[in-house]
Amino acid sequence: MPGLASAPPFSPVEPVTEVLHGVSVTDLYRWLEDQNSPRTRCWIEEQRSFARACLDHLPGRDRIRGRIREFLAVETYDSPQRAGNRYFFRKRLADQEQPCIYMRDGTNGEDRLLVDPAEHGAGKYTAVKPLRVSPDGRLLLFEVKEGGERTGTFKLLDIESRRRLPDVLPRGYLRGFAFAPDGKSFCYVHEPVNGKELNRRAAYRHDLGTEFKEDREIFIAGEGEKIRLGLISDARRIGFLVYRFLEKTRTDFYLNSWESDGTPDCIVRDADYTFGPLLLRGTILAVTDRNAPNLRIVELRLRPQGEPEWVDVVPESDSRIQQWAVAGDRLLVSYIRGTAQQVSVFDLDGNKTGELPLRRGETVRVTGASPENDELFLESESFTEPVAIHRYSPREGKRIPWAKKKIPFDSARYEHIQVRYPSKDGTEIPMFLVGLRDVLAGGCRPAILTSYGGYGVSMTPQFSVFVAFLIERGCIFALPNIRGGSEFGAEWHEAAKRRNRQTAYDDFLSAAEWLIRTGRTAAAKLAIFGGSNSGLLVGAALTQRPELFRAAVCMVPMLDMLRYHLFDNANVWREEFGTAEDPDDFEALRRYSPYHQVRDGVAYPATMFVSGDADRNCNPLHARKMTARLQAANASQHPIFLDYSKFRGHSPVLPLSERIEALTDRMAFLCDQLQLPM
């Protein structure tokens, strides 16, 4: 890899030592947490220059870029929803930088442009997304983002006149929004980025055409970073969800009518269980793990005095509910049973009326569902088939194609198989292997490995350009169903949650060991990758067993697990990870926190960190500090560098040209390290 004759930029060591629960902990690069300091900005620029020196002259970059462009520069559709007889969605033409918002009258109508992001920002980093259509079909709420930020600006469009209304919610987090039934006002919960009352959690009612300073406060949840307020509604009622992120998340649910100015009724108070309600034509449905670790769907029947009656609509089963939605008078419920998906259809009384037919290896997500419409949208994909969108009527049971990415990828040449391997504690873990047929038949091949291992997120077949490019070049793609997901119910998640987190990392490392032990790959041919919580997984793996891997791509990660909860809104993940404030959590976190597990003089694999200024989920301080620490500690000749952009964040909204260049960098890096054909 050119550019490695010179060492990475020097990162000054300025130790900060704290005593936590009687243990001395030293942070060598605390100064890099200050994103806007001149020193940090200078360090970032030096790291960017070093990264470019590592990447720009890699062999085959032009060919790689050309193939990546073929994958990405295609027409795309997403975010479809129906309101009356109209369809609203995003569409990006093949060579457009960003998708626009369109509308279609009827199923076969012409696509009519509603919102062009170029009219709402200064350049190609501006992205838009449709959020909500008013009950009368007159107004569209849409979001405007700059770069990969999670925050946005929220605007209204008069659909017929194409006129943008002056009622704009400024940059911040929109936690809840509901158009009033008469279409003349709306209620909202908005957390601004800048303002005098940043920590005030309240809901307001805004009359269209008036100043926001005149808005009426209709509910107050309190003040503080550990409180979050949500809002739901139907045609007659409006509900308020108060979340308090304490040692365990506590939830209150209040209900009021649209017409009432009185105090809302408290329906659920201080719930220490999952509670996700839906207001539906005079009833309250909810998904909950109250007395049901794998979740159940209930109807809450209100009583004049005391707690509501909880009546099962869809009882708990041996598999955890992954997703649920109501379309018309039907209820769709998605499960993962082992490693296969099942989607069942029920009526609103809980009688099962059918199953959604699924192909082997297909993953389906319900989008654009509404109780007001008897059809919804399904997104389907597999390891070898890109996302396709279908209209689906649960009553009729028909899937009608609506849009599909036309990517030039010969899926017929590839297949997937499933294997099982023992983890460190002897538990059998299933794993998908994907690749060319002759590659899967046997032999020692280059391999790429990823998983997730958290939040109960199950790993199912999905299409990835990252993966597709590499399996075209003879790689095996390995995806183990490690604990921390919910492939085998809530227990699978609990087994690697909080103080048990190391279990997920043991499962992942055991997958790497199995691939090597069975001769499917070798340590010199094995790469790992992942982002967000999966980036933490990669960080834990490369610091605990660096000798197992040749390369790692660690994207938008959390890596300093003793301080993660102090930044942005990360304290809401306390139940998943624990925090260093608790002595027992601290011991577990300290043992695996990747930043604290880096050891001087160890030969680490080639590592590419990816992050950027706009990330407020996994603050970029993690990638900055880890890059500095690993560069200083590394005893190998393998490169360790940081691919950093001020526009990159946690939302996948970078413009087409940036995505092509970013993926070209990652593929060129892995092709070079794994010695893959271009």
Side-chain angles (χ1 to χ4, degrees):
M1 177 175 274
L4 295 184
S6 60
F10 174 70
S11 300
V13 173
E14 297 181 4
V16 175
T17 300
E18 299 171 296
V19 177
L20 301 175
H21 309 293
V23 178
S24 180
V25 178
T26 299
D27 186 344
L28 301 179
Y29 300 100
R30 179 77 57 87
W31 64 273
L32 280 171
E33 290 180 356
D34 187 353
Q35 181 160 293
N36 297 316
S37 75
R39 295 179 68 203
T40 300
R41 301 318 298 181
C42 180
W43 181 90
I44 288 171
E45 286 308 308
E46 290 174 348
Q47 291 289 340
R48 280 170 50 84
S49 296
F50 178 68
R52 295 315 329 156
C54 292
L55 292 167
D56 282 347
H57 304 292
L58 288 176
R61 274 188 66 88
D62 289 342
R63 292 194 297 277
I64 293 171
R65 183 186 294 107
R67 182 59 177 139
I68 296 300
R69 172 170 286 280
E70 290 177 349
F71 274 117
L72 295 181
V74 297
E75 186 173 272
T76 64
Y77 289 77
D78 65 66
S79 308
Q81 58 180 287
R82 178 181 168 185
N85 196 41
R86 285 178 165 175
Y87 296 86
F88 298 85
F89 52 94
R90 288 200 306 184
K91 180 172 76 170
R92 184 179 61 76
L93 303 180
D95 290 313
Q96 278 186 314
E97 290 284 14
Q98 295 282 5
C100 299
I101 299 174
Y102 285 81
M103 179 185 73
R104 184 185 298 175
D105 284 306
T107 57
N108 299 313
E110 179 184 355
D111 292 352
R112 296 158 58 191
L113 177 65
L114 291 182
V115 181
D116 185 338
E119 298 175 359
H120 294 267
K124 63 183 182 179
Y125 294 95
T126 303
V128 295
K129 185 176 182 179
L131 297 180
R132 200 75 52 83
V133 180
S134 62
D136 58 9
R138 184 172 61 90
L139 301 176
L140 170 70
L141 173 73
F142 65 98
E143 180 181 29
V144 181
K145 284 182 180 291
E146 295 294 338
E149 63 177 356
R150 274 293 171 95
T151 55
T153 302
F154 304 90
K155 300 183 178 183
L156 289 172
L157 179 77
D158 185 298
I159 294 168
E160 293 303 329
S161 68
R162 305 293 197 273
R163 180 176 63 91
R164 296 198 298 271
L165 303 188
D167 312 81
V168 176
L169 288 166
R171 183 167 165 257
Y173 298 94
L174 189 62
R175 302 296 188 191
F177 185 96
F179 284 109
D182 63 6
K184 296 179 180 179
S185 65
F186 60 79
C187 294
Y188 65 94
V189 177
H190 179 258
E191 296 175 17
V193 172
N194 300 302
K196 295 181 180 179
E197 298 182 329
L198 292 180
N199 291 323
R200 184 174 178 80
R201 307 302 187 226
Y204 299 88
R205 186 159 183 168
H206 174 79
D207 294 324
L208 292 173
T210 66
E211 297 288 335
F212 278 97
K213 63 183 180 182
E214 300 174 13
D215 293 354
R216 304 188 302 280
E217 186 176 275
I218 59 173
F219 186 86
I220 174 69
E223 296 190 3
E225 293 182 352
K226 294 184 178 181
I227 298 176
R228 184 170 291 175
L229 176 61
L231 181 155
I232 62 173
S233 70
D234 64 6
R236 295 191 302 164
R237 300 165 299 171
I238 186 164
F240 306 97
L241 283 155
V242 181
Y243 304 99
R244 286 168 282 119
F245 297 101
L246 307 174
E247 181 62 25
K248 188 172 179 60
T249 301
R250 301 281 177 165
T251 305
D252 302 330
F253 177 54
Y254 297 83
L255 193 62
N256 211 348
S257 69
W258 275 101
E259 295 77 18
S260 175
D261 291 325
T263 302
D265 296 323
C266 185
I267 308 302
V268 173
R269 186 185 299 277
D270 203 34
D272 63 354
Y273 44 80
T274 298
F275 178 73
L278 172 70
L279 301 181
L280 179 65
R281 296 189 288 272
T283 64
I284 304 172
L285 297 183
V287 64
T288 183
D289 63 359
R290 184 189 189 201
N291 302 322
N294 283 335
L295 302 178
R296 58 183 172 136
I297 298 171
V298 298
E299 179 187 343
L300 269 65
R301 295 179 180 171
L302 305 185
R303 295 186 282 201
Q305 301 293 330
E307 184 177 298
E309 182 183 5
W310 296 61
V311 179
D312 278 354
V313 177
V314 179
E316 182 188 24
S317 74
D318 59 355
S319 298
R320 188 173 172 86
I321 293 174
Q322 301 291 316
Q323 188 183 19
W324 69 294
V326 175
D329 61 358
R330 289 293 186 267
L331 176 63
L332 269 77
V333 183
S334 172
Y335 304 90
I336 300 297
R337 299 192 182 279
T339 58
Q341 187 179 22
Q342 176 184 333
V343 181
S344 299
V345 182
F346 301 86
D347 64 24
L348 296 181
D349 292 322
N351 301 304
K352 188 173 179 179
T353 62
E355 294 278 341
L356 178 66
L358 299 178
R359 301 188 304 273
R360 175 182 175 270
E362 181 183 29
T363 295
V364 167
R365 290 176 298 277
V366 177
T367 64
S370 168
E372 308 307 318
N373 298 313
D374 61 358
E375 74 170 11
L376 47 74
F377 287 96
L378 298 173
E379 289 184 347
S380 66
E381 61 183 322
S382 70
F383 287 126
T384 59
E385 293 282 350
V387 173
I389 302 175
H390 292 78
R391 291 168 43 230
Y392 177 72
S393 169
R395 179 178 285 277
E396 297 179 2
K398 295 181 180 178
R399 292 171 65 171
I400 302 173
W402 197 77
K404 183 177 182 178
K405 287 185 180 179
K406 297 179 181 178
I407 291 176
F409 180 75
D410 186 3
S411 60
R413 299 175 59 209
Y414 305 88
E415 65 180 7
H416 75 268
I417 60 174
Q418 287 184 280
V419 299
R420 288 182 174 267
Y421 65 91
S423 188
K424 183 177 180 180
D425 64 1
T427 301
E428 289 287 310
I429 309 296
M431 178 163 60
F432 292 104
L433 300 179
V434 187
L436 290 160
R437 286 188 168 83
D438 63 330
V439 167
L440 294 182
C444 185
R445 312 283 186 165
I448 50 170
L449 171 68
T450 193
S451 195
Y452 196 76
Y455 297 97
V457 175
S458 299
M459 294 289 94
T460 60
Q462 297 180 32
F463 187 83
S464 163
V465 172
F466 189 114
V467 170
F469 180 90
L470 293 170
I471 63 175
E472 277 187 331
R473 278 142 194 83
C475 275
I476 296 172
F477 170 51
L479 180 67
N481 298 94
I482 65 177
R483 284 169 284 185
S486 57
E487 287 89 340
F488 297 96
E491 290 183 2
W492 203 249
H493 177 206
E494 292 292 332
K497 185 179 178 182
R498 202 163 184 166
R499 295 165 196 164
N500 298 323
R501 202 75 183 186
Q502 182 60 40
T503 300
Y505 310 141
D506 289 341
D507 289 354
F508 189 68
L509 292 169
S510 295
E513 291 175 329
W514 183 89
L515 289 167
I516 295 168
R517 185 174 64 252
T518 58
R520 287 190 173 271
T521 192
K525 297 182 177 184
L526 179 58
I528 53 177
F529 74 96
S532 193
N533 179 71
S534 184
L536 169 60
L537 175 69
V538 168
L542 73 88
T543 51
Q544 292 183 24
R545 296 291 304 279
E547 75 281 3
L548 288 179
F549 312 109
R550 175 55 190 261
V553 178
C554 184
M555 299 173 285
V556 293
M558 288 199 306
L559 298 164
D560 181 347
M561 296 307 293
L562 299 187
R563 289 176 59 79
Y564 82 91
H565 63 291
L566 301 177
F567 300 91
D568 306 318
N569 294 312
N571 63 82
V572 304
W573 302 327
R574 174 189 294 267
E575 282 191 69
E576 185 69 23
F577 297 105
T579 72
E581 296 168 359
D582 180 285
D584 294 325
D585 288 344
F586 166 74
E587 281 301 319
L589 291 164
R590 185 170 67 94
R591 284 194 295 269
Y592 76 76
S593 175
Y595 179 63
H596 298 90
Q597 290 304 313
V598 177
R599 292 161 287 160
D600 292 328
V602 170
Y604 287 102
T607 304
M608 178 182 193
F609 292 104
V610 178
S611 189
D613 282 350
D615 197 339
R616 289 296 175 269
N617 267 51
C618 297
N619 193 292
L621 69 88
H622 293 276
R624 293 194 298 262
K625 289 170 61 174
M626 188 69 168
T627 298
R629 181 72 184 97
L630 211 58
Q631 285 176 341
N634 186 31
S636 77
Q637 295 300 308
H638 302 315
I640 294 169
F641 59 92
L642 174 62
D643 175 17
Y644 197 93
S645 165
K646 70 177 183 178
F647 297 104
R648 184 177 289 120
H650 226 71
S651 298
V653 295
L654 290 179
L656 175 65
S657 58
E658 291 275 327
R659 291 191 293 124
I660 290 172
E661 288 304 310
L663 198 50
T664 297
D665 285 341
R666 294 164 207 172
M667 295 302 98
F669 168 69
L670 290 175
C671 283
D672 182 68
Q673 291 299 319
L674 300 180
Q675 296 298 292
L676 301 177
M678 304 299 173

